Amino acid sequence: MPSPPVPRPLLATADPDVLDAALRVCAAVGVEPLVAHDPAAARRAWSGALLVLVGADLAPALVDPPPRRRPDVALVATDLDDARVWALGVALGAERVVLPGDADAEAWLVEHLSRGLADAALGSRPPAPVVGVVAGCGGAGASTLAVALAVTAARQGGAPFLLDADPWGCGLDLLVGADLCPGPRWPDLAHARGRLDPAALQGALPGAGGVSVLACRDAGDVPPEALASVVDAARLSSDLVVVDVARRPGALAEVLLPRCDAALLVVPSDLRRVGAAERVLGAVGALPPWTGAVVRRTAQSDLRAEEVATWLGLPLAGAMDEDAELAPALRTGRAPGSWDRGPLPAFCRGFLGDWARRAAG
């Protein structure tokens, strides 16, 4: 099916100076605007426009009656000292009153147009699912599984986003093999708030093997507000978001888990560690709509996978034996899940396939 058309900005003016200035900004962004020289044409295009620039020449006719309120409206005036201009801006619901040719105003318009175009281009596909991976105890292998899921998705042709939300871990860029790659880590985004540009974030991140990763550097450097903004942007710039969730209860889990569509609790199948996982499960708060147990069978295992899942009150997402490829891969810098055979890549392929079928039907 053809893609829906990308919205265009609306220029509502008959003033040649205002029109020239607005066309110059649109050309800088690479978008062709709709131009309305009269109020009737402006009203017809008002609601569906990417952004609306109204010249002071048409504003009086447009506010009687005023059009429907919408974001991203600016009034272009030639005299900011005229009190009527500000009254018209309020009546139009304009976010800003600008002068033609003003450098700050043009920078603001370029930013809004660029962000709107990026959002419109990404908005034709549904937000990506978010899968959180939580360790039931220390050394459970949650970080390894999170990386392996993202690597498997990339090997299948996807565009995964790997998000490190465990400040006490080793740093997922190290496990992916992107620790020497330039790009932002959590300290660089600590002050992020509100809406982020999804495409710009994805393009700036370090990555390896088709996996984009936002990694931690030291404990405590993941502010909950920034985490929320990044997760929301990641869902629009990728087709799968995998998050390594800190098992310690607190604000990170409270912000993150409600944004996850699924969660995997990784638990080695011995009595002591299952008891620890039970306490983690009770402390992390609200769980996603689907949460399952991934049971790792080790030399110390004294419980069957089904017994572990029943004890925890979770569905069994799968069970894995120790993967002989993992230790040598980590020693040589190969990302978990980057080989074809073995329990780890087999589980990841199975889970991603099951999740795709669940989402489809």
Side-chain angles (χ1 to χ4, degrees):
M1 294 182 63
S3 300
V6 175
R8 296 160 63 186
L10 169 65
L11 309 182
T13 183
D15 185 324
D17 294 332
V18 172
L19 188 60
D20 288 346
L23 288 173
R24 184 170 61 250
V25 172
C26 291
V29 179
V31 62
E32 182 180 355
L34 295 166
V35 179
H37 295 298
D38 61 82
R43 289 181 187 279
R44 286 194 296 270
W46 185 273
S47 297
L50 179 67
L51 176 146
V52 179
L53 294 179
V54 181
D57 58 313
L58 290 191
L62 272 173
V63 299
D64 186 21
R68 178 180 297 178
R69 293 278 171 161
R70 53 153 295 157
D72 298 323
V73 176
L75 176 62
V76 186
T78 55
D79 183 5
L80 297 186
D81 293 327
D82 187 345
R84 293 173 300 176
V85 167
W86 300 98
L88 288 170
V90 171
L92 287 169
E95 295 181 27
R96 186 162 179 161
V97 178
V98 300
L99 288 171
D102 180 75
D104 290 339
E106 290 192 0
W108 180 84
L109 291 171
V110 166
E111 178 187 357
H112 272 61
L113 282 171
S114 299
R115 184 180 298 174
L117 287 169
D119 288 354
L122 291 167
S124 59
R125 70 186 195 189
V130 182
V131 178
V133 185
V134 187
C137 60
S143 297
T144 297
L145 179 57
V147 172
L149 284 169
V151 168
T152 302
R155 297 184 75 203
Q156 292 177 342
F161 190 117
L162 181 61
L163 185 56
D164 193 349
D166 185 0
W168 297 274
C170 68
L172 295 190
D173 53 349
L174 179 64
L175 286 180
V176 171
D179 51 310
L180 299 180
C181 296
R185 270 68 174 179
W186 265 119
D188 304 304
L189 294 173
H191 300 293
R193 299 292 186 275
R195 188 176 68 170
L196 300 179
D197 184 330
L201 176 64
Q202 185 92 347
L205 289 175
V211 177
S212 299
V213 57
L214 179 57
C216 295
R217 280 302 193 199
D218 51 66
D221 63 8
V222 185
E225 299 86 354
L227 179 63
S229 295
V230 168
V231 171
D232 292 344
R235 297 192 71 193
L236 294 175
S237 63
S238 63
D239 49 29
L240 175 68
V241 182
V242 182
V243 191
D244 186 11
V245 186
R247 73 179 186 277
R248 303 189 184 193
L252 292 184
E254 291 172 4
V255 168
L256 181 59
L257 287 173
R259 284 176 162 76
C260 290
D261 300 287
L264 298 173
L265 183 71
V266 186
V267 191
S269 58
D270 64 80
L271 187 65
R272 178 174 58 87
R273 293 180 177 180
V274 174
E278 186 178 30
R279 290 193 292 276
V280 169
L281 200 58
V284 294
L287 295 170
W290 191 91
T291 301
V294 179
V295 179
R296 282 186 52 230
R297 292 185 286 252
T298 68
Q300 293 77 37
S301 293
D302 49 16
L303 294 170
R304 294 184 296 110
E306 293 78 8
E307 292 175 320
V308 172
T310 300
W311 184 335
L312 296 173
L314 296 175
L316 180 62
M320 284 189 292
D321 293 321
E322 296 290 327
D323 196 315
E325 288 284 342
L326 182 59
L330 294 177
R331 285 196 299 269
T332 57
R334 295 168 59 204
S338 59
W339 49 93
D340 293 327
R341 297 181 180 179
L344 182 59
F347 171 83
C348 292
R349 288 193 297 268
F351 174 78
L352 293 177
D354 289 344
W355 182 258
R357 287 187 289 273
R358 188 180 298 115

